[in-house]
Amino acid sequence: MLTTLVIIVSSAVVLALIYLLADRALSAPRYRGPRTDHFDGRRFHNLEPPERKGFIDVLRWQLTSKRGRWNEWTDNDPASLPPPRVGGKELRVTFVNHATVLIQTGGVNILTDPVWSERVSPVTWAGPKRHRPPGLRFEDLPPIDVVLISHNHYDHLDIETLVRLREEHRPRFLVGLGNRALLDAHEVSDVTELDWWETANVSERLGVMCVPAKHFSGRGLGDADATLWCGYVVRAPGGNVYFAGDTGMGSHFAEINKRFGPFRLALLPIGAYLPVWFMHPVHLSPGEAAELHKTLKPRVSMAIHFGTFALGDDGEFEPVDELRRALNAESRFWVLEQGEGRDVP
Ligand code: ZN
Ligand code: ZN
């Protein structure tokens, strides 16, 4: 009897310790600051419901999931090497993979959510892995001046890549509130934290504004929504560029467009949209991205967040097939090959 009790108590203590250790190791540090319309003093939240799904929903998804088909591995065609810099009002965009995009304009080179790692996961031996190499080799990057990070999910904030960028390029990192502590912990310096609607000037003529997104954040067990998620608007002399980050449909699109649109280029996510009941609050579907292209009327939209990591139930080619079905033939909604670069009119 006593032995059973000892076993139960010691197992509980061991489990609690494992939980605490795992949580400490895997969770991002927590943001502290004044309350706002999207921060309650402890957690960030979206401006409108529905809120994020909970742990029970994750379980339900895992138990009922019908995964679409992905090829085990696909090599990319050779990349179009980006020029060292693009001056004046010219704008060049290169799609690396997933949410990693190189934007070159006004003599400044900007990289969004850079990920060169094999897996987007807290550990190197499990979790979503690449089905394609990065479209551009890290060594082939031009000098990077600015890195935009939309939120701390592993497929957007890849510490290994940020450390390498810091060592080899010394860029300035822009992040949402609360994300600097994680970068500090890995000695990634020159980080500017921004709240929604705050701007950082990155050159004499270029400003970057942090804008709302409808999403969530967290890297571990105890840091749900403890750091801010966002999109960015690059305000450039030749026209503004909108990087939506990870986001579901919401009224923020109209507000951002009212303030800074119509955009010259809008980077819109189209993947990880299935199953709808789980993904819809936090990710755009290809149909919704097509709808945004029609209502926001950017000169060019470009699809991101597809084809590299299997994060939803949608198969490898479903997002692009679905997007093409939803668009007119004449819509200027680009789907670039991984590693492809284009001049934006
Ligand atoms: Zn995310
Ligand atoms: Zn994502």
Side-chain angles (χ1 to χ4, degrees), residues 98 155-156 246 283 305:
H98 199 59
D155 60 317
H156 298 260
D246 264 3
H283 285 157
H305 211 264

Side-chain angles (χ1 to χ4, degrees), residues 50 61 82 122 144 149-150 171 174 212 222-223 227 250 302 328:
W61 173 33
I144 298 300
I149 298 171
S150 65
L174 304 187
D223 64 347
T227 59
M302 184 181 132
N328 310 320

Side-chain angles (χ1 to χ4, degrees), residues 57-334:
D57 298 301
V58 176
L59 268 185
R60 186 183 144 205
W61 173 33
Q62 293 308 316
L63 292 172
T64 57
S65 163
K66 290 188 194 72
R67 299 269 169 178
R69 206 182 65 80
W70 282 72
N71 290 329
E72 187 53 34
W73 186 256
T74 309
D75 277 315
N76 299 322
D77 291 333
S80 34
L81 281 192
R85 296 200 180 269
V86 171
K89 293 186 172 177
E90 303 291 294
L91 170 64
R92 187 166 177 90
V93 63
T94 305
F95 182 47
V96 178
N97 271 145
H98 199 59
T100 309
V101 177
L102 172 66
I103 301 164
Q104 299 179 281
T105 190
V108 179
N109 292 336
I110 302 172
L111 203 54
T112 64
D113 289 347
V115 176
W116 262 263
S117 287
E118 270 312 297
R119 284 187 197 271
V120 286
S121 152
V123 289
T124 52
W125 42 268
K129 67 172 177 56
R130 285 186 171 278
H131 290 263
R132 281 169 178 276
L136 202 62
R137 296 186 320 156
F138 191 91
E139 305 79 59
D140 292 335
L141 279 173
I144 298 300
D145 308 303
V146 181
V147 173
L148 308 181
I149 298 171
S150 65
H151 62 302
N152 73 0
H153 285 153
Y154 290 90
D155 60 317
H156 298 260
L157 195 163
D158 175 19
I159 282 291
E160 217 179 279
T161 299
L162 299 188
V163 167
R164 195 167 172 202
L165 276 165
R166 167 69 196 153
E167 282 165 1
E168 295 179 33
H169 293 262
R170 307 213 155 246
R172 178 170 176 195
F173 296 86
L174 304 187
V175 299
L177 289 181
N179 287 290
R180 181 171 32 212
L182 178 64
L183 273 63
D184 277 352
H186 293 85
E187 284 162 26
V188 175
S189 53
D190 202 355
V191 181
T192 306
E193 274 190 352
L194 298 171
D195 198 358
W196 290 348
W197 308 117
E198 280 184 345
T199 302
N201 291 324
V202 297
S203 80
E204 245 167 58
R205 301 174 69 203
L206 235 71
V208 177
M209 174 164 277
C210 169
V211 294
K214 192 164 139 246
H215 200 59
F216 63 112
S217 71
R219 293 169 77 83
L221 303 163
D223 64 347
D225 301 341
T227 59
L228 185 62
W229 50 93
C230 62
Y232 291 94
V233 173
V234 179
R235 306 175 70 183
N240 293 346
V241 177
Y242 173 42
F243 165 52
D246 264 3
T247 180
M249 267 298 203
S251 58
H252 60 287
F253 286 110
E255 184 61 31
I256 294 165
N257 205 48
K258 198 172 90 193
R259 297 196 196 194
F260 310 110
F263 293 104
R264 185 177 185 183
L265 173 68
L267 307 175
L268 299 175
I270 63 165
Y273 66 102
L274 295 178
V276 170
W277 70 269
F278 187 83
M279 294 297 189
H280 184 257
V282 291
H283 285 157
L284 291 180
S285 70
E288 286 169 330
E291 196 184 313
L292 280 173
H293 180 71
K294 281 171 205 155
T295 54
L296 305 183
K297 298 186 174 61
R299 203 175 304 162
V300 175
S301 291
M302 184 181 132
I304 59 169
H305 211 264
F306 68 94
T308 301
F309 302 107
L311 302 172
D313 278 355
D314 29 318
E316 184 171 355
F317 304 104
E318 261 180 289
V320 170
D321 291 348
E322 197 57 38
L323 179 70
R324 295 224 159 96
R325 266 195 289 276
L327 290 168
N328 310 320
E330 66 275 13
S331 311
R332 223 186 241 164
F333 200 131
W334 291 352

